[in-house]
Amino acid sequence: MLNAYALKTPAESIPQALERSVREANQRVIEAAARTGSREGVGTTLVAAVVHKFSLYFISVGDSAVFHVTQGHARMVNRHHVFANLLDRALASGKISQAEAEQHPEREALTSFIGIRQLDEIDRNLEPRALEDGDIVLLASDGMFKTLDSEQIAACLRQGPALSWPQVLVDRAIGSRAPGQDNITVLAIQPHGGENDPVPLPM
């Protein structure tokens, strides 16, 4: 995806370049799966962000998250591609009960991911999301935010400088020793008003 995005021209908008790059990454995973004889069940989630002139653009496929942290409050700004979305719509229309929606065994199953043959579900913003001085953008895999609740995440965000938050969040999630702990990657971007280097911490 990074190689594809590096080919962006001034004539191509950031959202257009992000979608093109995601689709190219998707095709590369499909091709890799075919080469290894693993045509089914090969894939990954993807989340990416571009910060440009006090604005945030993001794109995601699957169930990783983009958080906009402003004035100490973290808000998830992207939508996940999981079966729960279909269950919740069925609940809203009265087709299933609350219990059926909440207890369905496939509730967290992905409905879109990088490596799927027909990539229909992509979440992105076409209009820039404004960032203020001191705001932080957090990108995280579900191993973090499905392990820590909103209060625990907020507590971690009150510890130390902003660019130390990924390590704090990773340590807290792993330290919870949750059953079936999923992999964790957290990256923080401080767009302006401080250090500028993103801090990726894959675990």
Side-chain angles (χ1 to χ4, degrees):
M1 180 182 172
L2 291 174
N3 289 339
Y5 190 82
L7 300 177
K8 180 186 179 304
T9 65
E12 187 178 32
S13 71
I14 292 174
Q16 288 171 336
L18 284 171
E19 181 175 357
R20 174 181 54 76
S21 302
V22 161
R23 292 193 180 280
E24 184 160 333
N26 188 66
Q27 186 58 36
R28 293 294 177 270
V29 171
I30 291 172
E31 292 169 359
R35 286 196 302 272
T36 60
S38 304
R39 294 179 180 273
E40 301 297 331
V42 175
T44 184
T45 65
L46 182 148
V47 63
V50 173
V51 174
H52 178 66
K53 293 185 177 179
F54 298 87
S55 296
L56 166 66
Y57 298 87
F58 66 83
I59 193 164
S60 65
V61 180
D63 61 355
S64 290
V66 183
F67 290 92
H68 179 188
V69 185
T70 183
Q71 297 181 350
H73 299 286
R75 179 185 176 192
M76 191 182 299
V77 298
N78 67 320
R79 184 172 180 271
H80 294 164
H81 305 123
V82 291
F83 192 57
N85 297 330
L86 301 177
L87 293 171
D88 291 343
R89 285 200 289 271
L91 171 63
S93 64
K95 294 179 180 178
I96 62 174
S97 68
Q98 181 86 33
E100 288 174 315
E102 293 178 352
Q103 299 170 15
H104 196 287
E106 298 297 319
R107 184 172 176 82
E108 296 301 319
L110 294 177
T111 55
S112 187
F113 54 89
I114 297 297
I116 196 169
R117 293 268 166 197
Q118 188 168 334
L119 182 56
D120 294 328
E121 290 185 279
I122 297 175
D123 192 42
R124 59 180 180 147
N125 63 328
L126 297 178
E127 297 298 323
R129 184 180 181 87
L131 299 173
E132 300 295 333
D133 191 34
D135 284 2
I136 304 295
V137 178
L138 281 177
L139 309 183
S141 64
D142 63 338
M144 186 276 280
F145 59 85
K146 289 183 182 177
T147 300
L148 305 179
D149 61 29
S150 57
E151 290 185 4
Q152 291 172 314
I153 292 173
C156 290
L157 300 187
R158 290 192 290 268
Q159 299 183 34
L163 293 188
S164 71
W165 291 347
Q167 188 65 63
V168 174
L169 289 162
V170 168
D171 290 345
R172 181 68 180 270
I174 292 176
S176 70
R177 301 187 181 280
Q181 173 70 61
D182 205 344
N183 66 80
I184 307 173
T185 300
V186 183
L187 183 143
I189 305 169
Q190 188 169 27
H192 34 265
E195 300 167 88
N196 291 302
D197 293 334
V199 180
L201 289 170
M203 299 295 289

